[in-house]
Each structure stands twice: as structure tokens, then as C-alpha cells.
Amino acid sequence: MSRGGRFKYETNILMASRYGHHRSALWPPGPLHNLFCLDLAAYAPPLSPRFYVELDNIRFLVAAEWERCKAAGTALDRRFAEASALAAAFRSLSTHVVDEQDRAALAHRERAMLTGYTPEILRGLAETDEKLTVVAGHLSTWFGKEAAGRPTVFAAIRDEATERLVASTTATVPELADYVSRIDPDLMFASPPAFSSTNVFFMAGEGNLHPKHVAYFLPEDEGVRGSPYKKTYYFNNTHRAYVSSISLPLYEQYAAHDQICSADSLDLLPALGVRAHDLGHSVNRAKTTFRELNRRHRWESVLLQETAADVFGALFITDVWPKHFQYSAEEGVAYFLAECLRYVDRGLGLFPDSDGMFLQLNYLQQHSYLHIDRSPSPRLRWDPQEVVRGLQALARVLADVVLSGDAGAAVAFHHEYGPSNRSALSGLLTSLESRPMASIEYLQEHVVSEHSKSTEAA
């Protein structure tokens, strides 16, 4: 990142996706970071101690692979150099697991280590209903950091309460499809990917750097494109930590509104928000293609696709689901704005999804669906019905200029409302820039480090 700071869009965008050399755990680079700790031991299942020793062995192998990739300086094949050792470690993990479905999932991933993904392995993973998930691979990192996948391993356990919550949204899919068709009759609703709501209890490699991901989309994030077998692995505990430690404090500081999400709604909205975004990606036209936009400007393509998913997802949680779940439309809007602030706080020209959240606030502000007072300090004033109307208007525009496949119109729309046009939100950005970067740090002392013990003994 340039010395100008994390909100200097024009200089930051020139370096987008070119941080493959960056080794610090903290990204984007900056002088100050504010870390909030999340103790993963609270979510670790009561498995054999040897299971956790084996996880540490996998951490050691992934760390070595990460160093190998960084030393190469460029993206390498997504296969591990020590694939046989990793496969053996996965085989060992399965001997400490009781559930048959969990063992089956580990066996599929063990085979994938050795052979790469085959249609049979992908189908097997999609059809396996595992509660315990362990994934090791060259997973995608932040697109603004680099386009390559980097070695990562995570272990997560299903969160049954949020799993049931997310599963209950399936019954509303026909209503969501009808809702988007009323926004634009040419819009259609594709079949959404599978979704697993989990609590992460182990993370190593690239995924343990900053900022943390709240979900991985497999196998796409492993470099497998076009597979019919897809699943989103959502980390409920990570996301809740972000919302409680960063999003809500930002909202309390910058929103001139008494509405704050209740404790009960916070048991619902983070998971519903991510699922709504996931479903938002399923909204398209029969002939939607991003091929020309990808060719002309990959950053803007990713940004606008994320923006469309955000906006349709925000409409789902603010205008459809409140009557189905125990929260109000006002709480849905407050959650949406709190998350917008958290993403924008990460900077501009560094993350496409952060730029996309900026675009949404900029559009709503410029068209007076919400208002940002400039003095004595920036404060967001809003009415829930007006924000919903604004999101509906933005959804119609996105359907016309992004989902239509008109690359020229999409680029023009981005230039009008994206980070290159910041005057309407300049006071907010100046205030945010005075704060340090914020992220979540994982505490993982429950994973016994046999390699560290060996080093200390030597």
C-alpha cells in the first residue's frame, strides 16, 4: 500500500493484486492495527489429544508449503509438494474421528491430496453430510492482495443452531424468486450452492493472516471452476466476532439512530446476512455473462458482482425475512449499515468487496435514501423504508448495467458511484482514516505444538 494511506484509492488500485511478495501477517500494510482476540479453544470438539497433535503436523506441512510458494515469488501449481505426507496426516486424523460421515469426508480429501479433484471426489464431498470439516489446500486469499491461491488449512465443526437457521431459509426461496422478478421481470433465481454453518477451531497458513475470512467457497476457492458441486463453509464464530468487535462499535459511533441490533437479532443476522449474500449471487438474467467486463477490467467485474450479491442479499434480510424470523426490518437495516461501515473501514482500492460497500453507501447518499451529516462529525441519518427503497432502486440499476452484460455501462456506473467519486463521503473517510486497521486474531493454544516442543528440546 502506498504511504498515502488505506483510503488513497488512486494509488492503492495501482498495486491491487500485486502483493505476492508480502510476508507480514498484517495486510494491508499500515502503521497501526487493532486486533481483537477470538479463542478457538472454546469451539474445539472433544476429540483425542492425538487428533490435535496431528493438526499441528498438518500446520507444519502447510507452513513449509507457504514458505516454498513465497520463495518462488509467483503462483505455483495448487498441488502440495508434500502431498503424500499431507494425505498420511489426513488418514491419521480419521482414526481419531468416530462419525462415519466425518471419516468419509476426510477420506475424500486424502484422495484429493494425491490425485487432485476428480468428479467422483467432488460428488462424494457434496453428498457427504459431515459435521467435522478439515480442508488443506491452496485457497484463494484476498483478491486485492494477490490473485494466487496460497497454502491454508482449517478445521471447523458444524454449528447446529445456525445450521438449522440457515436451512429454514430454503422454504423462502420461491418467495425470494418472486421478489426479484418484481424488481425486474427478466431476473431469474438460480439454484443456490450448499451451505455449511460452522465454528472454526483451527486455522493455519495464509488463512491465519489478516484480515480473516468469514467463509470459503469450495471448490472454487481451491481453483476448481465450473464444478456443479459447490459448498459454502461459513465460520459463524469469526463473523460474530467481527460484528460485535468492529461493525457494531462503528455503527454506534457513526449512525445518528437509536436502533441497535438486539442480542436476539445478533443470534440470527450474521448467518442470515452471509446466506443472503450467497443467495444474491444466484440472481441473474438468462444471458448474464461477465466475460467482456472481466476482459476489460477484472477488478471492477469482481467489485460489481459482489455489489449485486450484497444489494439483493440486503433486500432479503431487510424486506423479506423479517416477517419469517425474530427481528425487525429496522434491525435488518442497522445490521446492513454496520457491515457497510466495517467493510469500508478496511480501505479503498484494496478489497473489491470493500469498494463495493462504499459504492452502495455512495449511491444511497447521493440519491438521498440516507444522509450523512458532515459536522461536527460524520453521522448517518436514515429511515428504514427509505433505505429499502434505495436498495430496490440500486438493484434495478444493477440489473440493467451489470447483470445485462453491458461492460461499458457497468464501467460508467462504477466511475459514477465507486471510490473514484468520493466527495459525498469524504468526511466519513477522513474520520475512519484516523482509526487503526481492525482485525480478528485467533488464539489456538489448544492445538499442541509437537514441532515447537522438539525445537525447544534441541
Side-chain angles (χ1 to χ4, degrees):
M1 186 173 68
S2 86
R3 294 180 180 179
R6 70 184 191 270
F7 291 100
K8 303 302 182 186
Y9 173 74
E10 285 78 11
T11 49
N12 291 341
I13 197 67
L14 293 176
M15 281 294 294
S17 302
R18 298 177 181 177
Y19 291 86
H21 62 281
H22 189 73
R23 285 178 168 268
S24 170
L26 301 171
W27 190 85
L32 294 174
H33 286 77
N34 193 11
L35 302 183
F36 298 89
C37 292
L38 176 63
D39 190 354
L40 300 189
Y43 306 93
L47 297 169
S48 162
R50 294 301 307 174
F51 178 90
Y52 290 97
V53 170
E54 202 58 65
L55 278 185
D56 181 61
N57 182 38
I58 294 174
R59 172 165 56 189
F60 180 79
L61 293 169
V62 167
E65 183 75 1
W66 188 90
E67 288 290 344
R68 183 178 76 92
C69 291
K70 283 292 179 179
T74 58
L76 299 174
D77 185 278
R78 290 195 183 229
R79 297 283 297 279
F80 280 86
E82 298 293 336
S84 59
L86 267 171
F90 268 70
R91 188 160 56 252
S92 178
L93 284 180
S94 67
T95 65
H96 305 293
V97 173
V98 175
D99 186 86
E100 181 179 341
Q101 292 289 294
D102 295 346
R103 290 201 306 270
L106 288 169
H108 288 308
R109 295 199 180 279
E110 175 195 338
R111 287 194 292 275
M113 290 288 173
L114 298 173
T115 66
Y117 280 120
T118 65
E120 292 74 24
I121 291 174
L122 289 170
R123 184 174 63 249
L125 284 168
E127 295 173 352
T128 301
D129 184 30
E130 86 272 27
K131 296 179 181 178
L132 170 71
T133 299
V134 184
V135 174
H138 286 227
L139 303 187
S140 296
T141 187
W142 300 106
F143 185 67
K145 186 178 183 182
E146 57 178 320
R150 291 300 187 187
T152 295
V153 57
F154 71 83
I157 191 75
R158 180 185 294 170
D159 184 289
E160 297 293 352
T162 54
E163 184 81 2
R164 289 191 297 272
L165 171 67
V166 170
S168 68
T169 66
T170 303
T172 72
V173 167
E175 185 178 354
L176 299 179
D178 178 65
Y179 184 88
V180 300
S181 69
R182 283 186 276 116
I183 288 176
D184 186 317
D186 290 332
L187 292 177
M188 55 188 297
F189 202 86
S191 177
F195 191 97
S196 180
S197 182
T198 71
N199 288 317
V200 63
F201 65 89
F202 172 70
M203 182 73 70
E206 183 73 20
N208 199 36
L209 308 183
H210 295 280
K212 300 292 190 291
H213 294 258
V214 300
Y216 283 110
F217 310 98
L218 304 183
E220 184 173 339
D221 279 350
E222 297 172 277
V224 179
R225 308 296 181 189
S227 171
Y229 308 109
K230 301 176 182 178
K231 183 181 284 190
T232 297
Y233 288 92
Y234 165 62
F235 304 144
N236 179 65
N237 53 343
T238 305
H239 192 199
R240 286 287 298 272
Y242 270 128
V243 171
S244 62
S245 299
I246 303 173
S247 304
L248 292 184
L250 283 168
Y251 176 84
E252 291 172 7
Q253 178 176 348
Y254 291 107
H257 201 284
D258 292 335
Q259 181 62 56
I260 298 176
C261 300
S262 67
D264 288 341
S265 70
L266 287 176
D267 286 334
L268 307 172
L269 281 165
L272 289 177
V274 172
R275 181 51 168 170
H277 175 89
D278 224 25
L279 293 169
H281 276 294
S282 297
V283 178
N284 52 50
R285 295 178 184 269
K287 295 184 179 180
T288 294
T289 175
F290 302 105
R291 187 176 300 110
E292 179 62 18
L293 185 56
N294 282 334
R295 187 188 68 79
R296 289 181 60 171
H297 205 305
R298 176 63 175 158
W299 183 272
E300 291 181 14
S301 180
V302 174
L303 182 162
L304 291 170
Q305 290 178 60
E306 291 302 312
T307 300
D310 282 341
V311 170
F312 284 105
L315 285 168
F316 298 159
I317 65 168
T318 60
D319 205 29
V320 179
W321 285 347
K323 64 178 176 286
H324 293 281
F325 302 101
Q326 299 300 310
Y327 69 92
S328 67
E330 277 191 315
E331 288 177 309
V333 172
Y335 167 80
F336 162 70
L337 292 175
E339 285 287 76
C340 280
L341 288 169
R342 175 171 72 86
Y343 275 82
V344 171
D345 184 54
R346 295 192 307 189
L348 300 176
L350 298 163
F351 303 87
D353 46 359
S354 293
D355 287 2
M357 288 291 199
F358 172 90
L359 185 152
Q360 292 164 64
L361 286 181
N362 204 13
Y363 180 92
L364 294 172
Q365 157 78 355
Q366 288 196 42
H367 291 277
S368 299
Y369 293 111
L370 62 79
H371 305 274
I372 301 180
D373 297 331
R374 295 192 178 215
S375 61
S377 61
R379 302 280 283 177
L380 278 68
R381 291 187 292 108
W382 57 275
D383 174 85
Q385 293 180 337
E386 283 299 304
V387 173
V388 169
R389 277 195 282 270
L391 288 169
Q392 290 172 336
L394 180 53
R396 294 187 183 97
V397 174
L398 289 167
D400 287 340
V401 304
V402 177
L403 301 183
S404 67
D406 186 339
V411 169
F413 173 74
H414 173 260
H415 288 171
E416 183 173 2
Y417 297 104
S420 58
N421 183 4
R422 301 187 292 282
S423 59
L425 300 183
S426 60
L428 175 62
L429 297 180
T430 299
S431 180
L432 289 172
E433 194 165 21
S434 68
R435 302 164 53 94
M437 291 284 297
S439 188
I440 301 298
E441 172 71 4
Y442 289 149
L443 303 181
Q444 305 186 67
E445 295 182 8
H446 61 292
V447 179
V448 179
S449 181
E450 292 295 299
H451 293 284
S452 296
K453 287 181 179 180
S454 299
T455 301
E456 291 171 2

